[in-house]
Amino acid sequence: MHVYLYDEYVNKKKYDNVLARIETRITDLGLNGKIIRLGVMKNIGEAVESEMKRGAKTIVAVGDDRTVNKIINAMIKAEIHSQLSAEIPFGIIPIGKENNKIADSLGISEAEEAGDVLSARRIEKLDIAQAGNHYFLSQAKIESRGTTVEIGKDYSIEIMETGEINVINLSVFSNLPENANPNPQDGVLELYIKTKGARTLKQFAPQENQSLFSLKKLTLINKKSSIILDNAIEIATPAEISVVKKLNIIVGKERKF
Amino acid sequence: MGEALLTKNMFKKQDDREKIKEVETIIGPSIKVKGNFNGQGNIVVEGSLEGSLKTNGDVFIGDKAKITASIEAHEARIGGEVNGNIKVKKYVEVAASAKIFGDIECSSISVEQGAIFNGKCSMVSEKKEAKEEIN
């Protein structure tokens, strides 16, 4: 059975029409299943774990990047704590244009298309990274000022300008440098550092404000700033980041990897 | 990396953009790397590096880069300041803007007028290199 987890914000009246259209499409495609509405009183971890135990065929996040992050965390934690199978495919129905970069990157740019994507059931095994005790699919972001990046015992990176550090698994960027080619299936993370003072490509030089590293494991340290995972969750540093798992994710034909 | 990029002309202007696309690591101008950096692919350094830099690919040291490290690579183009020894299997191009304080070991070298080079340069022939590999 398909299990649809509706995030709390989709209960707003402005989403009534789009949800009605999606529900009709899902019924037409024969994909209807159980709907769980997340809220303050609903423990997402328990809800996901109990549906996984009952043998859910697909778990679908109906919401945004934050919803995706919450459900992925719940699925992996349920797998670890209760030794449940992590083979259950995970799908996304993006609601609202804002903060739905993960779905877009997976080739699900419109809510109305999501039903067809679920129906096509194109499953890819994607890397899931861990930062501290949390998991993420797309990226970990922190401001560069005061941040040190440690790569094992081998070397460390200090950033001397203000800007942003991104540890990318699944890219949600539209303007990455040509050299960067993050692949969420290769077990490697791209460390992309962008600092202020951007200039155009110069002769004999890369763009002056961009740095790029391919890494398997790194630690971010910043006493003042926290890391933001999947544009959704803030965690404190120091945090070790690496690819730890794979998850079956239903993707669209237009995926960007 | 394509064969064409391994030629002696790899750092000529027309190849540069293509070359940069093949880069695996870029150490930008605002970045300071401390420690032993080991890479597999091509590396561009525009910032500063202290320790050692080792790769099977090529190294491109930008004009404003400041390196206090030993460098080992397949080929190299030095444009900035390097305090340390440079060991390159094939070709080293030393640009006019380069300041090198250390020894260079390579198979082939070109030094542009204006470059500062204080150190020894020893040429390792490809024949000798091949012999060493067999042994």
Side-chain angles (χ1 to χ4, degrees):
Chain A
M1 186 175 61
H2 289 73
V3 177
Y4 298 89
L5 292 134
Y6 283 38
D7 205 335
E8 200 177 358
Y9 81 93
V10 307
N11 294 326
K12 286 180 187 168
K13 206 164 178 53
K14 67 174 177 177
Y15 299 118
D16 283 356
N17 285 341
V18 69
L19 281 177
R21 285 200 300 275
I22 290 163
E23 284 166 8
T24 306
R25 185 69 187 142
I26 280 169
T27 308
D28 291 347
L29 292 164
L31 299 172
N32 40 342
K34 185 175 181 179
I35 293 174
I36 297 173
R37 291 177 196 276
L38 302 174
V40 186
M41 302 300 286
K42 193 86 185 172
N43 183 314
I44 187 169
E46 282 175 14
V48 168
E49 188 170 333
S50 101
E51 293 307 324
M52 284 169 78
K53 277 182 183 164
R54 281 182 204 152
K57 191 183 168 198
T58 315
I59 290 185
V60 182
V62 183
D64 60 11
D65 291 348
R66 184 179 287 270
T67 327
V68 169
N69 183 279
K70 282 192 281 192
I71 295 172
I72 284 177
N73 271 275
M75 285 178 78
I76 293 173
K77 284 172 184 168
E79 183 207 340
I80 294 166
H81 295 150
S82 305
Q83 294 179 328
L84 294 163
S85 166
E87 297 295 310
I88 302 168
F90 170 70
I92 304 172
I93 298 178
I95 303 294
K97 286 281 175 199
E98 288 167 33
N99 206 21
N100 254 315
K101 290 178 178 170
I102 293 177
D104 191 48
S105 188
L106 294 173
I108 317 158
S109 51
E110 295 290 332
E112 282 82 352
E113 291 170 9
D116 298 287
V117 171
L118 288 176
S119 174
R121 219 169 161 79
R122 192 177 285 108
I123 296 170
E124 293 284 349
K125 261 193 193 312
L126 300 194
D127 296 335
I128 301 293
Q130 184 173 11
N133 295 322
H134 292 267
Y135 300 94
F136 66 95
L137 173 60
S138 66
Q139 65 181 43
K141 184 169 76 178
I142 189 168
E143 75 170 73
S144 66
R145 188 195 290 266
T147 301
T148 300
V149 185
E150 283 185 357
I151 289 81
K153 286 175 185 171
D154 294 335
Y155 63 97
S156 63
I157 300 167
E158 280 174 38
I159 301 103
M160 290 167 288
E161 287 176 353
T162 54
E164 199 175 271
I165 299 173
N166 285 284
V167 182
I168 305 168
N169 178 42
L170 169 75
S171 175
V172 293
F173 285 91
S174 53
N175 57 348
L176 276 180
E178 285 174 281
N179 323 79
N181 192 17
N183 181 348
Q185 294 178 299
D186 62 1
V188 173
L189 298 163
E190 310 294 321
L191 173 68
Y192 173 52
I193 303 166
K194 192 177 175 186
T195 53
K196 280 180 184 168
R199 287 181 202 168
T200 53
L201 195 76
K202 284 170 72 182
Q203 191 184 358
F204 289 129
Q207 290 179 35
E208 283 199 347
N209 61 339
Q210 294 178 332
S211 296
L212 191 67
F213 299 79
S214 294
L215 303 163
K216 289 201 167 172
K217 192 186 272 188
L218 67 146
T219 304
L220 293 178
I221 304 161
N222 188 320
K223 284 179 184 170
K224 287 180 182 169
S225 298
S226 44
I227 304 169
I228 300 167
L229 305 177
D230 283 342
N231 266 332
I233 287 177
E234 272 192 40
I235 65 159
T237 71
E240 188 179 279
I241 303 178
S242 61
V243 170
V244 287
K245 284 205 162 289
K246 289 207 179 270
L247 199 65
N248 285 325
I249 298 185
I250 300 172
V251 299
K253 227 193 267 182
E254 304 300 319
R255 64 190 178 279
K256 296 172 183 169
F257 60 88
Chain B
M1 189 172 57
E3 280 292 312
L5 294 170
L6 294 172
T7 65
K8 287 183 181 179
N9 292 326
M10 64 180 211
F11 295 120
K12 295 286 182 218
K13 281 182 191 177
Q14 62 268 33
D15 293 335
D16 269 13
R17 279 170 189 271
E18 199 178 337
K19 181 76 189 164
I20 289 166
K21 279 182 202 168
E22 301 278 341
V23 167
E24 186 190 84
T25 304
I26 301 170
I27 299 172
S30 59
I31 303 293
K32 190 175 189 177
V33 173
K34 283 183 184 174
N36 304 317
F37 187 96
N38 287 316
Q40 293 296 319
N42 299 342
I43 299 170
V44 170
V45 186
E46 289 286 333
S48 60
L49 194 145
E50 288 173 18
S52 69
L53 172 63
K54 204 172 174 181
T55 180
N56 294 329
D58 303 335
V59 169
F60 174 102
I61 310 290
D63 297 357
K64 289 175 185 165
K66 204 170 177 188
I67 314 285
T68 308
S70 58
I71 299 170
E72 277 185 48
H74 183 258
E75 293 199 345
R77 189 267 186 188
I78 314 291
E81 188 177 325
V82 178
N83 290 283
N85 297 334
I86 299 163
K87 194 174 172 183
V88 167
K89 279 188 183 167
K90 300 281 178 183
Y91 171 61
V92 178
E93 181 185 327
V94 181
S97 54
K99 288 179 186 172
I100 300 171
F101 303 94
D103 301 339
I104 297 177
E105 190 183 309
C106 59
S107 302
S108 170
I109 189 167
S110 77
V111 182
E112 204 178 337
Q113 186 179 14
I116 296 169
F117 172 35
N118 281 311
K120 282 188 295 180
C121 180
S122 46
M123 309 296 287
V124 182
S125 72
E126 287 186 28
K127 258 186 184 175
K128 190 181 167 188
E129 203 176 82
K131 226 179 187 180
E132 277 174 4
E133 273 174 25
I134 291 163
N135 293 335

